[in-house]
PDB file of all heavy atoms in Angstrom:
ATOM      1  N   LEU J 805     -52.520 -45.864  63.389  1.00 98.00           N
ATOM      2  CA  LEU J 805     -52.178 -47.214  62.961  1.00 98.00           C
ATOM      3  C   LEU J 805     -52.000 -48.130  64.164  1.00 98.00           C
ATOM      4  O   LEU J 805     -52.449 -49.284  64.165  1.00 98.00           O
ATOM      5  CB  LEU J 805     -50.895 -47.176  62.112  1.00 98.00           C
ATOM      6  CG  LEU J 805     -50.354 -48.516  61.605  1.00 98.00           C
ATOM      7  CD1 LEU J 805     -51.401 -49.274  60.801  1.00 98.00           C
ATOM      8  CD2 LEU J 805     -49.096 -48.291  60.786  1.00 98.00           C
ATOM      9  N   GLU J 806     -51.385 -47.623  65.213  1.00 98.00           N
ATOM     10  CA  GLU J 806     -51.195 -48.423  66.420  1.00 98.00           C
ATOM     11  C   GLU J 806     -52.528 -48.732  67.095  1.00 98.00           C
ATOM     12  O   GLU J 806     -52.720 -49.827  67.635  1.00 98.00           O
ATOM     13  CB  GLU J 806     -50.256 -47.716  67.396  1.00 98.00           C
ATOM     14  CG  GLU J 806     -50.078 -48.419  68.741  1.00 98.00           C
ATOM     15  CD  GLU J 806     -49.721 -49.888  68.625  1.00 98.00           C
ATOM     16  OE1 GLU J 806     -49.010 -50.282  67.673  1.00 98.00           O
ATOM     17  OE2 GLU J 806     -50.159 -50.668  69.503  1.00 98.00           O
ATOM     18  N   ALA J 807     -53.467 -47.793  67.053  1.00 98.00           N
ATOM     19  CA  ALA J 807     -54.778 -48.041  67.657  1.00 98.00           C
ATOM     20  C   ALA J 807     -55.499 -49.191  66.949  1.00 98.00           C
ATOM     21  O   ALA J 807     -56.112 -50.053  67.600  1.00 98.00           O
ATOM     22  CB  ALA J 807     -55.625 -46.768  67.603  1.00 98.00           C
ATOM     23  N   VAL J 808     -55.437 -49.216  65.614  1.00 98.00           N
ATOM     24  CA  VAL J 808     -56.063 -50.307  64.869  1.00 98.00           C
ATOM     25  C   VAL J 808     -55.307 -51.613  65.119  1.00 98.00           C
ATOM     26  O   VAL J 808     -55.911 -52.681  65.293  1.00 98.00           O
ATOM     27  CB  VAL J 808     -56.121 -49.975  63.366  1.00 98.00           C
ATOM     28  CG1 VAL J 808     -56.793 -51.113  62.600  1.00 98.00           C
ATOM     29  CG2 VAL J 808     -56.869 -48.668  63.132  1.00 98.00           C
ATOM     30  N   SER J 809     -53.978 -51.539  65.169  1.00 98.00           N
ATOM     31  CA  SER J 809     -53.176 -52.728  65.454  1.00 98.00           C
ATOM     32  C   SER J 809     -53.530 -53.305  66.817  1.00 98.00           C
ATOM     33  O   SER J 809     -53.668 -54.528  66.972  1.00 98.00           O
ATOM     34  CB  SER J 809     -51.683 -52.381  65.411  1.00 98.00           C
ATOM     35  OG  SER J 809     -51.293 -51.920  64.133  1.00 98.00           O
ATOM     36  N   ALA J 810     -53.701 -52.430  67.799  1.00 98.00           N
ATOM     37  CA  ALA J 810     -54.049 -52.892  69.145  1.00 98.00           C
ATOM     38  C   ALA J 810     -55.393 -53.602  69.140  1.00 98.00           C
ATOM     39  O   ALA J 810     -55.582 -54.617  69.829  1.00 98.00           O
ATOM     40  CB  ALA J 810     -54.059 -51.714  70.111  1.00 98.00           C
ATOM     41  N   ARG J 811     -56.330 -53.062  68.373  1.00 98.00           N
ATOM     42  CA  ARG J 811     -57.646 -53.709  68.278  1.00 98.00           C
ATOM     43  C   ARG J 811     -57.511 -55.114  67.684  1.00 98.00           C
ATOM     44  O   ARG J 811     -58.140 -56.078  68.162  1.00 98.00           O
ATOM     45  CB  ARG J 811     -58.577 -52.844  67.421  1.00 98.00           C
ATOM     46  CG  ARG J 811     -59.986 -53.398  67.253  1.00 98.00           C
ATOM     47  CD  ARG J 811     -60.759 -53.372  68.560  1.00 98.00           C
ATOM     48  NE  ARG J 811     -62.111 -53.873  68.399  1.00 98.00           N
ATOM     49  CZ  ARG J 811     -63.178 -53.106  68.166  1.00 98.00           C
ATOM     50  NH1 ARG J 811     -63.044 -51.785  68.084  1.00 98.00           N
ATOM     51  NH2 ARG J 811     -64.368 -53.640  68.033  1.00 98.00           N
ATOM     52  N   LEU J 812     -56.677 -55.260  66.671  1.00 98.00           N
ATOM     53  CA  LEU J 812     -56.468 -56.569  66.049  1.00 98.00           C
ATOM     54  C   LEU J 812     -55.774 -57.544  67.002  1.00 98.00           C
ATOM     55  O   LEU J 812     -56.058 -58.746  66.995  1.00 98.00           O
ATOM     56  CB  LEU J 812     -55.651 -56.419  64.767  1.00 98.00           C
ATOM     57  CG  LEU J 812     -56.382 -55.776  63.584  1.00 98.00           C
ATOM     58  CD1 LEU J 812     -55.397 -55.439  62.478  1.00 98.00           C
ATOM     59  CD2 LEU J 812     -57.481 -56.696  63.068  1.00 98.00           C
ATOM     60  N   ARG J 813     -54.862 -57.034  67.800  1.00 98.00           N
ATOM     61  CA  ARG J 813     -54.149 -57.913  68.742  1.00 98.00           C
ATOM     62  C   ARG J 813     -55.053 -58.413  69.848  1.00 98.00           C
ATOM     63  O   ARG J 813     -54.891 -59.550  70.306  1.00 98.00           O
ATOM     64  CB  ARG J 813     -52.957 -57.164  69.354  1.00 98.00           C
ATOM     65  CG  ARG J 813     -51.752 -57.022  68.445  1.00 98.00           C
ATOM     66  CD  ARG J 813     -50.517 -56.564  69.206  1.00 98.00           C
ATOM     67  NE  ARG J 813     -50.675 -55.213  69.736  1.00 98.00           N
ATOM     68  CZ  ARG J 813     -50.297 -54.110  69.102  1.00 98.00           C
ATOM     69  NH1 ARG J 813     -49.728 -54.198  67.910  1.00 98.00           N
ATOM     70  NH2 ARG J 813     -50.466 -52.919  69.650  1.00 98.00           N
ATOM     71  N   THR J 814     -55.999 -57.586  70.288  1.00 97.00           N
ATOM     72  CA  THR J 814     -56.713 -57.875  71.528  1.00 97.00           C
ATOM     73  C   THR J 814     -58.148 -58.337  71.344  1.00 97.00           C
ATOM     74  O   THR J 814     -58.703 -58.952  72.256  1.00 97.00           O
ATOM     75  CB  THR J 814     -56.728 -56.621  72.435  1.00 97.00           C
ATOM     76  OG1 THR J 814     -57.367 -55.540  71.737  1.00 97.00           O
ATOM     77  CG2 THR J 814     -55.304 -56.214  72.792  1.00 97.00           C
ATOM     78  N   ASP J 815     -58.767 -58.051  70.203  1.00 97.00           N
ATOM     79  CA  ASP J 815     -60.177 -58.406  70.012  1.00 97.00           C
ATOM     80  C   ASP J 815     -60.264 -59.805  69.402  1.00 97.00           C
ATOM     81  O   ASP J 815     -60.124 -59.984  68.193  1.00 97.00           O
ATOM     82  CB  ASP J 815     -60.863 -57.373  69.115  1.00 97.00           C
ATOM     83  CG  ASP J 815     -62.371 -57.560  69.048  1.00 97.00           C
ATOM     84  OD1 ASP J 815     -62.857 -58.648  69.416  1.00 97.00           O
ATOM     85  OD2 ASP J 815     -63.065 -56.608  68.639  1.00 97.00           O
ATOM     86  N   ALA J 816     -60.527 -60.777  70.248  1.00 97.00           N
ATOM     87  CA  ALA J 816     -60.524 -62.176  69.798  1.00 97.00           C
ATOM     88  C   ALA J 816     -61.662 -62.485  68.843  1.00 97.00           C
ATOM     89  O   ALA J 816     -61.638 -63.523  68.171  1.00 97.00           O
ATOM     90  CB  ALA J 816     -60.592 -63.102  71.012  1.00 97.00           C
ATOM     91  N   ARG J 817     -62.645 -61.591  68.748  1.00 97.00           N
ATOM     92  CA  ARG J 817     -63.749 -61.841  67.813  1.00 97.00           C
ATOM     93  C   ARG J 817     -63.299 -61.670  66.367  1.00 97.00           C
ATOM     94  O   ARG J 817     -63.878 -62.283  65.465  1.00 97.00           O
ATOM     95  CB  ARG J 817     -64.905 -60.870  68.085  1.00 97.00           C
ATOM     96  CG  ARG J 817     -65.547 -60.982  69.452  1.00 97.00           C
ATOM     97  CD  ARG J 817     -66.590 -59.877  69.589  1.00 97.00           C
ATOM     98  NE  ARG J 817     -65.992 -58.567  69.321  1.00 97.00           N
ATOM     99  CZ  ARG J 817     -66.639 -57.555  68.726  1.00 97.00           C
ATOM    100  NH1 ARG J 817     -67.888 -57.709  68.315  1.00 97.00           N
ATOM    101  NH2 ARG J 817     -66.028 -56.389  68.531  1.00 97.00           N
ATOM    102  N   ILE J 818     -62.297 -60.814  66.138  1.00 98.00           N
ATOM    103  CA  ILE J 818     -61.884 -60.509  64.764  1.00 98.00           C
ATOM    104  C   ILE J 818     -61.038 -61.659  64.224  1.00 98.00           C
ATOM    105  O   ILE J 818     -59.940 -61.927  64.712  1.00 98.00           O
ATOM    106  CB  ILE J 818     -61.088 -59.195  64.704  1.00 98.00           C
ATOM    107  CG1 ILE J 818     -61.931 -58.028  65.233  1.00 98.00           C
ATOM    108  CG2 ILE J 818     -60.641 -58.914  63.266  1.00 98.00           C
ATOM    109  CD1 ILE J 818     -61.151 -56.738  65.378  1.00 98.00           C
ATOM    110  N   GLY J 819     -61.567 -62.316  63.191  1.00 98.00           N
ATOM    111  CA  GLY J 819     -60.860 -63.443  62.592  1.00 98.00           C
ATOM    112  C   GLY J 819     -60.489 -63.236  61.138  1.00 98.00           C
ATOM    113  O   GLY J 819     -59.834 -64.086  60.541  1.00 98.00           O
ATOM    114  N   ILE J 820     -60.930 -62.115  60.562  1.00 98.00           N
ATOM    115  CA  ILE J 820     -60.629 -61.819  59.162  1.00 98.00           C
ATOM    116  C   ILE J 820     -60.195 -60.362  59.063  1.00 98.00           C
ATOM    117  O   ILE J 820     -60.875 -59.469  59.573  1.00 98.00           O
ATOM    118  CB  ILE J 820     -61.850 -62.069  58.251  1.00 98.00           C
ATOM    119  CG1 ILE J 820     -62.288 -63.531  58.326  1.00 98.00           C
ATOM    120  CG2 ILE J 820     -61.534 -61.681  56.801  1.00 98.00           C
ATOM    121  CD1 ILE J 820     -63.596 -63.822  57.591  1.00 98.00           C
ATOM    122  N   LEU J 821     -59.071 -60.132  58.407  1.00 98.00           N
ATOM    123  CA  LEU J 821     -58.562 -58.786  58.137  1.00 98.00           C
ATOM    124  C   LEU J 821     -58.590 -58.552  56.632  1.00 98.00           C
ATOM    125  O   LEU J 821     -58.014 -59.329  55.873  1.00 98.00           O
ATOM    126  CB  LEU J 821     -57.132 -58.628  58.660  1.00 98.00           C
ATOM    127  CG  LEU J 821     -56.352 -57.391  58.179  1.00 98.00           C
ATOM    128  CD1 LEU J 821     -57.006 -56.103  58.668  1.00 98.00           C
ATOM    129  CD2 LEU J 821     -54.892 -57.463  58.625  1.00 98.00           C
ATOM    130  N   ILE J 822     -59.266 -57.476  56.215  1.00 98.00           N
ATOM    131  CA  ILE J 822     -59.250 -57.057  54.809  1.00 98.00           C
ATOM    132  C   ILE J 822     -58.398 -55.802  54.717  1.00 98.00           C
ATOM    133  O   ILE J 822     -58.831 -54.700  55.074  1.00 98.00           O
ATOM    134  CB  ILE J 822     -60.669 -56.783  54.273  1.00 98.00           C
ATOM    135  CG1 ILE J 822     -61.623 -57.942  54.567  1.00 98.00           C
ATOM    136  CG2 ILE J 822     -60.607 -56.489  52.778  1.00 98.00           C
ATOM    137  CD1 ILE J 822     -61.280 -59.231  53.841  1.00 98.00           C
ATOM    138  N   ASN J 823     -57.172 -55.953  54.253  1.00 98.00           N
ATOM    139  CA  ASN J 823     -56.242 -54.834  54.078  1.00 98.00           C
ATOM    140  C   ASN J 823     -56.546 -54.158  52.748  1.00 98.00           C
ATOM    141  O   ASN J 823     -55.943 -54.461  51.714  1.00 98.00           O
ATOM    142  CB  ASN J 823     -54.798 -55.348  54.086  1.00 98.00           C
ATOM    143  CG  ASN J 823     -54.128 -55.240  55.437  1.00 98.00           C
ATOM    144  OD1 ASN J 823     -54.374 -54.299  56.190  1.00 98.00           O
ATOM    145  ND2 ASN J 823     -53.257 -56.191  55.740  1.00 98.00           N
ATOM    146  N   ASN J 824     -57.505 -53.237  52.784  1.00 96.00           N
ATOM    147  CA  ASN J 824     -57.977 -52.613  51.550  1.00 96.00           C
ATOM    148  C   ASN J 824     -57.532 -51.164  51.392  1.00 96.00           C
ATOM    149  O   ASN J 824     -57.381 -50.691  50.269  1.00 96.00           O
ATOM    150  CB  ASN J 824     -59.509 -52.681  51.511  1.00 96.00           C
ATOM    151  CG  ASN J 824     -60.096 -51.764  50.457  1.00 96.00           C
ATOM    152  OD1 ASN J 824     -59.965 -51.999  49.257  1.00 96.00           O
ATOM    153  ND2 ASN J 824     -60.731 -50.689  50.907  1.00 96.00           N
ATOM    154  N   ALA J 825     -57.315 -50.450  52.488  1.00 92.00           N
ATOM    155  CA  ALA J 825     -56.990 -49.024  52.384  1.00 92.00           C
ATOM    156  C   ALA J 825     -55.748 -48.825  51.518  1.00 92.00           C
ATOM    157  O   ALA J 825     -54.751 -49.540  51.648  1.00 92.00           O
ATOM    158  CB  ALA J 825     -56.753 -48.433  53.775  1.00 92.00           C
ATOM    159  N   GLY J 826     -55.830 -47.849  50.638  1.00 91.00           N
ATOM    160  CA  GLY J 826     -54.690 -47.572  49.772  1.00 91.00           C
ATOM    161  C   GLY J 826     -54.934 -46.304  48.978  1.00 91.00           C
ATOM    162  O   GLY J 826     -56.047 -45.782  48.936  1.00 91.00           O
ATOM    163  N   ALA J 827     -53.887 -45.815  48.366  1.00 86.00           N
ATOM    164  CA  ALA J 827     -53.989 -44.612  47.540  1.00 86.00           C
ATOM    165  C   ALA J 827     -53.126 -44.793  46.303  1.00 86.00           C
ATOM    166  O   ALA J 827     -52.205 -45.617  46.277  1.00 86.00           O
ATOM    167  CB  ALA J 827     -53.540 -43.380  48.328  1.00 86.00           C
ATOM    168  N   ALA J 828     -53.445 -44.015  45.287  1.00 82.00           N
ATOM    169  CA  ALA J 828     -52.642 -43.992  44.065  1.00 82.00           C
ATOM    170  C   ALA J 828     -51.993 -42.622  43.950  1.00 82.00           C
ATOM    171  O   ALA J 828     -52.213 -41.737  44.777  1.00 82.00           O
ATOM    172  CB  ALA J 828     -53.498 -44.283  42.848  1.00 82.00           C
ATOM    173  N   GLN J 829     -51.203 -42.461  42.919  1.00 77.00           N
ATOM    174  CA  GLN J 829     -50.504 -41.199  42.728  1.00 77.00           C
ATOM    175  C   GLN J 829     -50.324 -40.969  41.237  1.00 77.00           C
ATOM    176  O   GLN J 829     -49.919 -41.881  40.511  1.00 77.00           O
ATOM    177  CB  GLN J 829     -49.148 -41.260  43.423  1.00 77.00           C
ATOM    178  CG  GLN J 829     -48.618 -39.915  43.866  1.00 77.00           C
ATOM    179  CD  GLN J 829     -47.450 -40.092  44.828  1.00 77.00           C
ATOM    180  OE1 GLN J 829     -46.820 -41.131  44.868  1.00 77.00           O
ATOM    181  NE2 GLN J 829     -47.157 -39.079  45.604  1.00 77.00           N
ATOM    182  N   SER J 830     -50.668 -39.782  40.781  1.00 72.00           N
ATOM    183  CA  SER J 830     -50.500 -39.475  39.369  1.00 72.00           C
ATOM    184  C   SER J 830     -49.161 -38.776  39.150  1.00 72.00           C
ATOM    185  O   SER J 830     -48.539 -38.282  40.088  1.00 72.00           O
ATOM    186  CB  SER J 830     -51.645 -38.583  38.879  1.00 72.00           C
ATOM    187  OG  SER J 830     -51.633 -37.355  39.591  1.00 72.00           O
ATOM    188  N   GLY J 831     -48.750 -38.748  37.905  1.00 75.00           N
ATOM    189  CA  GLY J 831     -47.494 -38.077  37.578  1.00 75.00           C
ATOM    190  C   GLY J 831     -46.301 -39.008  37.673  1.00 75.00           C
ATOM    191  O   GLY J 831     -46.360 -40.069  38.286  1.00 75.00           O
ATOM    192  N   GLY J 832     -45.223 -38.606  37.051  1.00 85.00           N
ATOM    193  CA  GLY J 832     -44.014 -39.411  37.045  1.00 85.00           C
ATOM    194  C   GLY J 832     -43.231 -39.293  38.347  1.00 85.00           C
ATOM    195  O   GLY J 832     -43.525 -38.447  39.198  1.00 85.00           O
ATOM    196  N   PHE J 833     -42.244 -40.131  38.480  1.00 90.00           N
ATOM    197  CA  PHE J 833     -41.424 -40.164  39.689  1.00 90.00           C
ATOM    198  C   PHE J 833     -40.741 -38.823  39.931  1.00 90.00           C
ATOM    199  O   PHE J 833     -40.610 -38.365  41.071  1.00 90.00           O
ATOM    200  CB  PHE J 833     -40.383 -41.278  39.557  1.00 90.00           C
ATOM    201  CG  PHE J 833     -39.633 -41.576  40.824  1.00 90.00           C
ATOM    202  CD1 PHE J 833     -40.265 -42.147  41.908  1.00 90.00           C
ATOM    203  CD2 PHE J 833     -38.274 -41.288  40.923  1.00 90.00           C
ATOM    204  CE1 PHE J 833     -39.576 -42.435  43.076  1.00 90.00           C
ATOM    205  CE2 PHE J 833     -37.579 -41.569  42.081  1.00 90.00           C
ATOM    206  CZ  PHE J 833     -38.226 -42.149  43.164  1.00 90.00           C
ATOM    207  N   LEU J 834     -40.321 -38.172  38.862  1.00 91.00           N
ATOM    208  CA  LEU J 834     -39.621 -36.898  38.993  1.00 91.00           C
ATOM    209  C   LEU J 834     -40.538 -35.767  39.447  1.00 91.00           C
ATOM    210  O   LEU J 834     -40.069 -34.731  39.906  1.00 91.00           O
ATOM    211  CB  LEU J 834     -38.965 -36.521  37.660  1.00 91.00           C
ATOM    212  CG  LEU J 834     -37.918 -37.502  37.130  1.00 91.00           C
ATOM    213  CD1 LEU J 834     -37.373 -37.002  35.800  1.00 91.00           C
ATOM    214  CD2 LEU J 834     -36.791 -37.699  38.129  1.00 91.00           C
ATOM    215  N   ASP J 835     -41.864 -35.999  39.319  1.00 87.00           N
ATOM    216  CA  ASP J 835     -42.833 -34.960  39.689  1.00 87.00           C
ATOM    217  C   ASP J 835     -43.311 -35.082  41.133  1.00 87.00           C
ATOM    218  O   ASP J 835     -44.059 -34.216  41.597  1.00 87.00           O
ATOM    219  CB  ASP J 835     -44.058 -35.037  38.768  1.00 87.00           C
ATOM    220  CG  ASP J 835     -43.683 -34.910  37.299  1.00 87.00           C
ATOM    221  OD1 ASP J 835     -42.799 -34.089  37.003  1.00 87.00           O
ATOM    222  OD2 ASP J 835     -44.249 -35.652  36.473  1.00 87.00           O
ATOM    223  N   GLN J 836     -42.918 -36.157  41.820  1.00 88.00           N
ATOM    224  CA  GLN J 836     -43.489 -36.426  43.132  1.00 88.00           C
ATOM    225  C   GLN J 836     -42.566 -35.937  44.243  1.00 88.00           C
ATOM    226  O   GLN J 836     -41.349 -36.097  44.167  1.00 88.00           O
ATOM    227  CB  GLN J 836     -43.768 -37.925  43.269  1.00 88.00           C
ATOM    228  CG  GLN J 836     -44.835 -38.375  42.282  1.00 88.00           C
ATOM    229  CD  GLN J 836     -44.973 -39.886  42.181  1.00 88.00           C
ATOM    230  OE1 GLN J 836     -44.292 -40.613  42.881  1.00 88.00           O
ATOM    231  NE2 GLN J 836     -45.850 -40.333  41.315  1.00 88.00           N
ATOM    232  N   SER J 837     -43.191 -35.381  45.273  1.00 91.00           N
ATOM    233  CA  SER J 837     -42.409 -34.900  46.411  1.00 91.00           C
ATOM    234  C   SER J 837     -42.043 -36.064  47.324  1.00 91.00           C
ATOM    235  O   SER J 837     -42.718 -37.096  47.336  1.00 91.00           O
ATOM    236  CB  SER J 837     -43.205 -33.869  47.201  1.00 91.00           C
ATOM    237  OG  SER J 837     -44.288 -34.491  47.880  1.00 91.00           O
TER     238      SER J 837
END
């Protein structure tokens, strides 16, 4: 995460960030570790 953050801080060419990465989780709250 820090490596990607560093790229965003220092690469002046990058002007758009698409925060798309994500995950879901099945099962109820009581079933999750």
